[in-house]
DNA sequence: CCCTTGCGTGACAAATGGGTAACGGGGAGG
DNA sequence: CCTCCCCGTTACCCATTTGTCACGCAAGGG
């Protein structure tokens, strides 16, 4: 998933965040000072920088400015962490340099949600996508509708994502791990049988087209092209 | 896109905003004092003035008043930037005639969304925007009227914008996040039931046509085409 | 032909999402 | 100053969705 640079001089907090972000499937890197943060960012461009406002050497504001001044790093996403007590209005105005900010104290859950939201936004604001058509199947992402033999078939949000993922990778086997990561958005521990159950539910809804969703024993699942024999 | 005059005496902040607004496709101009702002505005009428409340010479309120007093500039949109501690002034800002205000701290994204929202809202109601008609529904943007089965139905300003947004995207699912951003002009990824409530209120007013506003569980809302049934 | 391992399936409890009613703050207009 | 209306928030409830388990069949290797 995405790479996050966590910058906070409170090691306990930084490590807590680190632990949880890894659990949520992010790759992470830690920095405890502003200098270290800049060095780390230059070395390995992160997708997001989680930046505490209060640092021992440079302030978060300084770090922010340096990042924005670097043409390599200008477009990195910056999420500011600010304590509620840092109400100094003058200082807080600078947070506009950030793409989002989270006020301490925050729940880890909220932080993860915000990160995912901000990444999703920057990813692809595609307002409309052409429908994926495949033999008797048609999946319209824009309208969020799915048809089998021209007949609309209702899928739950999760089933829809699973079907979209598989159809977009026609013919390629997807392992359970891949599906978990990319459809469920977790690298975390789900029982692997969860996927089997959902595949079964999808097959039920596919009806006569159920043969298009094949099991590859010991590997994973794939959608086959009905046109290819 | 639109031309924005940014007025703030904190140069770093002003330049940060400048950089981001340009990135978002606005053309911009900077002023660091109230006098400079007035001069710049007279010279090149902006569409929006982004006005910090705290300026060294004139206060933002003074600038606001001068703008409103100038027949050339009377209709310019004014967005006040205020720090949280300046709450008292916020009200006065409105009295003088700011069109919107943004409280520091704010994220870049938030500011851009608010600007777009306010521009959209005040977009000169073109003499003839063709009404959006859809089965029993008709929404006349120009006249700001809404009809169900030929019967005029009163919508609040917010409900009207929501309905317009949905009708203009017939058949396409709009996520809550999209609606928050584009109708409300907010970036918060926070969980809120606000949208659900307004959808419910809209449905009430739709009466017999309430089925046209569908919920897509786990995704968002959409208007369906009654002709495509 | 038997054993091992992986998968399909039905059942079930827990979590989630959304509809709805009600409340309260605050602005607008009288 | 007072009242009404708009709008955001909260709380409650229900239906659906989703993760997990247990069981048994099927495939494949020896």
């Amino acid at each position: 998933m995405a790479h996050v640079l966590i910058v906070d001089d409170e090691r306990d907090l930084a490590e807590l965040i680190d632990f949880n972000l890894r659990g949520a499937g992010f790759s992470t890197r830690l920095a405890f000072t502003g200098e270290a943060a800049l060095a780390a960012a230059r070395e390995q461009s992160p997708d997001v920088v989680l930046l505490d406002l209060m640092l021992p050497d440079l302030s978060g504001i300084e770090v922010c400015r340096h990042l924005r001044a670097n043409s390599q790093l200008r477009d990195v996403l910056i999420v500011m962490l600010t304590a509620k007590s840092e109400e100094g209005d003058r200082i807080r105005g600078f947070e506009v340099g950030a793409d989002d900010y989270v006020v301490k104290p925050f729940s880890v859950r909220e932080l993860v949600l915000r990160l995912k939201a901000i990444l999703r936004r920057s990813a692809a604001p595609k307002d409309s996508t052409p429908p994926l058509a495949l033999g008797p199947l048609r999946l319209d992402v824009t309208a969020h509708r799915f048809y089998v033999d021209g007949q609309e078939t209702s899928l739950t949000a999760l089933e829809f994502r699973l079907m979209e993922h598989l159809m977009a990778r026609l013919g390629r086997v997807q392992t359970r791990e891949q599906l978990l990561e990319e459809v469920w958005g977790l690298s975390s521990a789900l029982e692997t049988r969860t996927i089997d159950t959902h595949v079964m539910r999808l097959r039920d809804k596919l009806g006569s087209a159920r043969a298009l969703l094949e099991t590859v024993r010991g590997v994973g699942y794939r959608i086959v092209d009905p046109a290819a024999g």
Side-chain angles (χ1 to χ4, degrees), chain A residues 72 80 223:
Chain A
Q72 286 285 314
M80 280 282 193
I223 295 279

PDB file of all heavy atoms in Angstrom, chain A residues 72 80 223:
ATOM      1  N   GLN A  72      11.342  17.769  -5.938  1.00  0.00           N
ATOM      2  CA  GLN A  72      11.091  16.332  -5.877  1.00  0.00           C
ATOM      3  C   GLN A  72       9.924  16.010  -4.950  1.00  0.00           C
ATOM      4  O   GLN A  72       9.176  15.069  -5.166  1.00  0.00           O
ATOM      5  CB  GLN A  72      12.327  15.599  -5.327  1.00  0.00           C
ATOM      6  CG  GLN A  72      13.469  15.492  -6.311  1.00  0.00           C
ATOM      7  CD  GLN A  72      13.171  14.451  -7.373  1.00  0.00           C
ATOM      8  OE1 GLN A  72      12.728  13.365  -7.063  1.00  0.00           O
ATOM      9  NE2 GLN A  72      13.388  14.815  -8.632  1.00  0.00           N
ATOM     10  N   MET A  80      -0.771  17.294   9.054  1.00  0.00           N
ATOM     11  CA  MET A  80      -0.238  17.881  10.273  1.00  0.00           C
ATOM     12  C   MET A  80      -0.900  17.283  11.509  1.00  0.00           C
ATOM     13  O   MET A  80      -2.107  17.061  11.515  1.00  0.00           O
ATOM     14  CB  MET A  80      -0.506  19.386  10.282  1.00  0.00           C
ATOM     15  CG  MET A  80       0.451  20.179   9.452  1.00  0.00           C
ATOM     16  SD  MET A  80       2.018  20.400  10.311  1.00  0.00           S
ATOM     17  CE  MET A  80       2.724  21.686   9.266  1.00  0.00           C
ATOM     18  N   ILE A 223     -11.078 -14.807 -13.286  1.00  0.00           N
ATOM     19  CA  ILE A 223     -12.182 -14.743 -14.234  1.00  0.00           C
ATOM     20  C   ILE A 223     -11.624 -15.168 -15.575  1.00  0.00           C
ATOM     21  O   ILE A 223     -10.546 -14.721 -15.966  1.00  0.00           O
ATOM     22  CB  ILE A 223     -12.716 -13.297 -14.358  1.00  0.00           C
ATOM     23  CG1 ILE A 223     -13.326 -12.835 -13.045  1.00  0.00           C
ATOM     24  CG2 ILE A 223     -13.732 -13.199 -15.488  1.00  0.00           C
ATOM     25  CD1 ILE A 223     -14.724 -13.313 -12.801  1.00  0.00           C
TER      26      ILE A 223
END
